Amino acid sequence: MDTADLRALHRLMVVARRLDEEAIAMQRQGALPGYAPAKGQEAAQVGSAAALDLSRDFAFPGYRDLGAAVAMGVDLVGYMASHHNVWHGGLYDAKASRLAPFNAVVAGPVTHAVGWALGAKLDDTGGAAITYFGDGASSEGDVHEAMNFAGVYRLPVVFFCQNNGWAISVPTREQVAGGSVAARAAGYGIEGHRVDGNDVLAVFEATRAALDRARDGGGPTVIEAMTYRMGPHSTSDDPGRYRTLAEEQEWSERDPLAVAARQLSAEDVAAAEEHAAAVVREVREGLLALEARPVEELFSFTYREPTKALLEQQRVWEESLDA
């Protein structure tokens, strides 16, 4: 990695940060029903997603992974439409983008990634999956089952844990036995590594190595990116009720954008901000221009073959329109 690489990654992080801030503003203005801020986690998300080979890999995000979508070049209006509550999984092409619709179920994307990785291994596609989850989600049974299954079958998958210090209002030390998610990997017979989640180059290198190993048949890897959620858990959360201002100030000195910017010129930083402002303006305008989707789509894209129960619900809904 050289200065040009860092410049490109920093540019992506700035887009993610400014769009994140705009999403919060739009929620406060009533344009978005809810949002989970990602401020402080840009290096973890951008650095890991930038390591993917989009011709064969696939990513499975949670609800706080805007930076991954930015780094993967996803249509951001279509992606942000997921928060706009207008359609199942957003309006972007998930298959072409190699980014699954984000999953609002805690630890939900982890099992999906393992299933995809099993298919990739059976079909010998040469691709690997990466799945995003937090330290809080690591306490869910789905994560244990996914890691155990992936370890047994040596599947090409990277379990990318963003340890941002808090499971909503519960600190990591009170809900992760042993204090380390990466250390759990040994129990499944797979690789486990901790990385500075606020250093975008370190994240990129660690993820690239894990993906290479996965594609070469080396099996899964758990990466625990140590970072910090600088904002609230969601736009309905007040972090001031459970953490101190001193803690927030201490972590602000390790802001991933500032860490990267210190290695770049003032001109590079200014250009990145100018680019981000243009992207944010375009995304905001695109989101506000979206028209309401037909309500019947709620029934059209749930199952490949509609179930009797779903058809009955649709019938009742249609009758209610005539009442």
Side-chain angles (χ1 to χ4, degrees):
M1 302 291 287
D2 56 21
T3 302
D5 296 316
L6 179 59
R7 186 183 301 116
L9 293 173
H10 172 261
R11 183 182 177 98
L12 293 170
M13 288 196 293
V14 175
V15 169
R17 172 70 61 86
R18 301 306 172 222
L19 186 54
D20 183 75
E21 293 171 343
E22 183 64 26
I24 295 172
M26 292 183 70
Q27 192 279 328
R28 301 305 191 209
Q29 295 161 7
L32 294 178
Y35 182 71
K39 183 178 181 180
Q41 299 179 220
E42 294 88 357
Q45 296 173 10
V46 168
S48 57
L52 293 165
D53 179 346
L54 298 184
S55 70
R56 52 181 174 169
D57 299 335
F58 216 101
F60 294 80
Y63 49 76
R64 197 190 309 280
D65 295 311
L66 170 61
V70 171
M72 294 174 69
V74 176
D75 169 32
L76 293 175
V77 174
Y79 173 84
M80 293 300 292
S82 304
H83 297 289
H84 208 51
N85 198 29
V86 296
W87 205 65
H88 301 285
L91 297 173
Y92 70 98
D93 188 332
K95 183 177 181 181
S97 300
R98 313 300 288 177
L99 180 73
F102 71 70
N103 200 316
V105 177
V106 176
V110 180
T111 50
H112 294 177
V114 169
W116 186 93
L118 175 60
K121 182 173 184 177
L122 292 174
D123 292 341
D124 194 24
T125 66
I130 186 170
T131 179
Y132 293 90
F133 59 102
D135 51 297
S138 73
S139 299
E140 294 286 339
D142 299 50
V143 173
H144 161 74
E145 294 169 9
M147 290 184 180
N148 186 64
F149 190 93
V152 169
Y153 292 98
R154 310 301 297 167
L155 300 182
V157 58
V158 176
F159 296 98
F160 193 89
C161 175
Q162 296 174 80
N163 188 337
N164 65 18
W166 294 91
I168 307 183
S169 60
V170 181
T172 303
R173 65 179 181 276
E174 294 182 13
Q175 56 91 29
V176 175
S180 172
V181 177
R184 295 177 178 174
Y188 305 107
I190 61 181
E191 295 279 338
H193 301 283
R194 263 192 174 182
V195 65
D196 181 353
N198 285 10
D199 183 336
V200 69
L201 296 181
V203 172
F204 178 90
E205 294 290 3
T207 309
R208 181 169 63 177
L211 289 167
D212 286 344
R213 184 186 310 111
R215 298 190 203 102
D216 292 341
T221 300
V222 177
I223 295 177
E224 184 179 17
M226 306 304 292
T227 183
Y228 190 73
R229 190 192 77 215
M230 296 175 70
H233 172 74
S234 70
T235 45
S236 61
D237 176 40
D238 177 11
R241 298 180 62 184
Y242 53 82
R243 68 188 191 194
T244 67
L245 181 60
E247 176 186 314
E248 294 179 357
Q249 291 176 334
E250 178 184 354
W251 275 95
S252 69
E253 297 175 3
R254 299 163 63 182
D255 184 327
L257 268 67
V259 171
R262 285 195 286 269
Q263 303 172 66
L264 298 171
S265 69
E267 291 76 14
D268 288 336
V269 174
E273 290 287 1
E274 183 178 355
H275 168 70
V279 172
V280 169
R281 184 165 53 250
E282 180 181 346
V283 173
R284 178 183 175 85
E285 292 174 354
L287 278 174
L288 294 178
L290 290 175
E291 298 180 357
R293 303 292 301 183
V295 180
E296 55 266 24
E297 287 185 348
L298 288 171
F299 306 97
S300 302
F301 304 101
T302 305
Y303 296 98
R304 185 173 184 176
E305 297 293 337
T307 64
K308 290 183 179 180
L310 187 65
L311 291 173
E312 175 63 16
Q313 292 172 19
Q314 183 175 6
R315 183 189 65 78
V316 172
W317 170 73
E318 290 173 345
E319 288 181 352
S320 71
L321 298 179
D322 299 327

